[in-house]
Amino acid sequence: MPSTPSPAFPVYRNIPRPPADLLARFAPLGTADVADSLPPEAQLDQGLKPLWPGARMIGPAITALNRPGDTLMLHYAVDACQPGDVLVIASDGPGHCALWGKMVTISAQARGAAGALVDGLARDAAAVRESGFPVWARGLTPRGGTRSGPGTLNQPILCGETPIYPGDVIFADDDGVLVIPRHRLEDVLEAGLRRLAAEEKLLPALRAGASTFALLGLDKAAREAGLEEQPGLP
């Protein structure tokens, strides 16, 4: 009996999702608290910016790959998303149309999505800001696209040069965007909580006027770097 050929454009609705209570424990943390426990490639490039200041999102990635100039898979992803998901939208080549806008913002927000990461352009910026729905994109355009496909849903994609797998956790705030592999989630969380606790212990001294140089014991690092204090300028 002949084997069934693999689909040219596979579509999967279901992704692995971490427990909601585990993601809730990230609430006191920012991306800066966990970035140092991840490899540099876990940080997406700084060309991805939030459409409004103060935006924040964390959740498992629904990955949609669109044909350039097309948004069929974006709409497919919104239809497949579940509460807490982050929609990660990309295209397989350069395009000049928006990959995100007002209609999908309203729909995704109503369905409980945590936010959207758009490796491309968005539009309806004012409506997105007013909605309070977190969206990161590379820029803005008023131009729309077609909705004819093809594409893929919940297959590994590249966002910039960073691979993102369905179910990877996307964590984003004003400082940037991180992708956390599912198997690293708990140890990244614990490392972030330890860092936060260590910094909070230093805050009273800093507010009293102590320097970070003294509190962090950087005199040793200065000596090892070959620095020598002099009595004054010649």
Side-chain angles (χ1 to χ4, degrees), residues 77-162:
V78 174
D79 188 68
C81 77
Q82 295 185 16
D85 289 345
V86 171
L87 295 132
V88 181
I89 312 299
S91 61
D92 60 0
H96 303 289
C97 77
L99 291 175
W100 193 267
K102 177 174 64 177
M103 289 177 60
V104 286
T105 293
I106 294 169
S107 180
Q109 189 172 41
R111 296 171 69 85
L117 174 63
V118 181
D119 189 12
L121 305 176
R123 66 177 180 176
D124 302 318
V128 174
R129 286 194 298 268
E130 290 170 6
S131 75
F133 187 72
V135 177
W136 273 251
R138 293 194 179 276
L140 297 169
T141 180
R143 187 181 299 276
T146 59
R147 301 170 187 166
S148 57
T152 65
L153 181 66
N154 287 326
Q155 287 283 280
I157 62 173
L158 286 176
C159 193
E161 297 182 355
T162 303

Side-chain angles (χ1 to χ4, degrees), residues 16-18 22-23 25-26 29-44 56-61 86 88 117 162-173 176-192:
R17 293 176 173 89
L22 181 58
L23 291 181
R25 293 178 61 200
F26 279 82
L29 303 176
T31 56
D33 295 311
V34 303
D36 292 347
S37 62
L38 290 164
E41 57 268 23
Q43 180 175 348
L44 276 64
R56 172 189 170 95
M57 65 183 178
I58 185 168
V86 171
V88 181
L117 174 63
T162 303
I164 297 178
Y165 293 84
D168 282 350
V169 171
I170 305 299
F171 185 17
D173 58 19
V177 183
L178 300 173
V179 54
I180 307 174
R182 296 189 306 275
H183 69 279
R184 292 287 319 277
L185 195 57
E186 291 197 43
D187 66 87
V188 168
L189 170 64
E190 295 303 327

Side-chain angles (χ1 to χ4, degrees), residues 211 213-214 218-234:
S211 73
F213 185 88
L218 297 180
D219 53 335
K220 179 182 178 182
R223 290 194 303 272
E224 291 176 349
L227 305 181
E228 295 182 6
E229 287 199 18
Q230 303 298 314
L233 290 172

Side-chain angles (χ1 to χ4, degrees), residues 201-215:
K201 287 182 180 179
L202 301 179
L203 295 182
L206 290 171
R207 292 185 177 118
S211 73
T212 53
F213 185 88
L215 283 178

